[in-house]
Amino acid sequence: ENQPSTFTDPRDGRTYKMVKIGSQYWMAENLNYASTGWCYDDITENCNIYGRLYTWEQAMAGQASSSLNPSGVQGICPPGWHLPSDNEWSQLTDWLEANGHSYSQGTALKASSAHSPPWIGTDNYGFSALPGGYRFTDGSFDYLGSLGVWWSATEASSTNAWYRYLDSIDDGVNRHNHSNDYGFSVRCIRD
């Protein structure tokens, strides 16, 4: 059930892995839709491995914040997919906690063979999270190999939005909010 299958984004023909975790179908790799956003350090190969980095506004593609489950925000995601709300991320972490990963949700989602240790996960469900780092508001990049950061469709304030991140130095899925202008990764979830 948790073995990845694939789907194709009709906008650019790019094929992505997808995986079912609990009752949700998630992309099993980061979005790499080149209409906007950046490759880490502006190196194309980084997009091929880690996907693109998007501001929250780019990820939302002009739609309003949503905390609903499902969010109803297609945003920059392919047709039939949407940007997960903070509540949809919580559904994922709650399911992991209820299924034996009380203190190791992040480890269960991290790829088991990372490009830059100490990013070591068990990838129990095929989510295959990689440490793609992020882009600062001044255009610089950092944390490739140590952090993976993903937007939600839920704003925390007029300038900040909620996100989830995985860190090479702990086993959890961390929740925080930050400036909408940072460049983070996007994982879409099926409608």
Side-chain angles (χ1 to χ4, degrees):
E1 176 181 23
N2 295 110
Q3 293 305 307
S5 55
T6 61
F7 74 96
T8 300
D9 186 340
R11 302 172 298 181
D12 61 6
R14 187 179 299 275
T15 298
Y16 293 95
K17 293 178 183 173
M18 60 181 259
V19 66
K20 183 180 183 188
I21 305 176
S23 61
Q24 299 172 312
Y25 286 89
W26 288 85
M27 289 176 61
E29 52 193 299
N30 294 341
L31 185 68
N32 186 14
Y33 182 56
S35 67
T36 187
W38 304 270
C39 298
Y40 188 97
D41 275 345
D42 299 316
I43 298 171
T44 302
E45 182 60 22
N46 285 331
C47 274
N48 295 335
I49 297 169
Y50 301 104
R52 296 181 76 81
L53 301 171
Y54 304 94
T55 65
W56 190 69
E57 288 84 359
Q58 290 168 337
M60 294 291 287
Q63 292 182 264
S65 169
S66 172
S67 58
L68 300 174
N69 184 353
S71 74
V73 176
Q74 180 180 343
I76 199 168
C77 293
W81 293 75
H82 63 272
L83 194 66
S85 67
D86 186 52
N87 283 324
E88 286 177 282
W89 277 107
S90 293
Q91 180 180 331
L92 173 63
T93 56
D94 290 350
W95 187 90
L96 290 168
E97 184 170 347
N99 284 273
H101 302 285
S102 293
Y103 303 102
S104 61
Q105 297 106 325
T107 301
L109 296 179
K110 289 178 185 176
S112 56
S113 58
H115 296 275
S116 49
W119 189 263
I120 299 169
T122 52
D123 204 14
N124 297 64
Y125 305 100
F127 193 82
S128 302
L130 290 173
Y134 61 81
R135 182 184 186 271
F136 290 96
T137 56
D138 67 3
S140 63
F141 299 85
D142 204 357
Y143 300 107
L144 185 72
S146 62
L147 285 179
V149 189
W150 296 271
W151 284 122
S152 81
T154 309
E155 65 184 2
S157 70
S158 61
T159 59
N160 287 24
W162 290 104
Y163 65 90
R164 301 298 166 112
Y165 73 96
L166 301 177
D167 193 322
S168 61
I169 60 171
D170 73 47
D171 299 326
V173 177
N174 303 287
R175 176 182 181 262
H176 208 279
N177 67 80
H178 214 307
S179 167
N180 297 347
D181 295 332
Y182 275 63
F184 294 161
S185 299
V186 165
R187 282 288 178 109
C188 302
I189 188 168
R190 198 167 74 176
D191 295 349

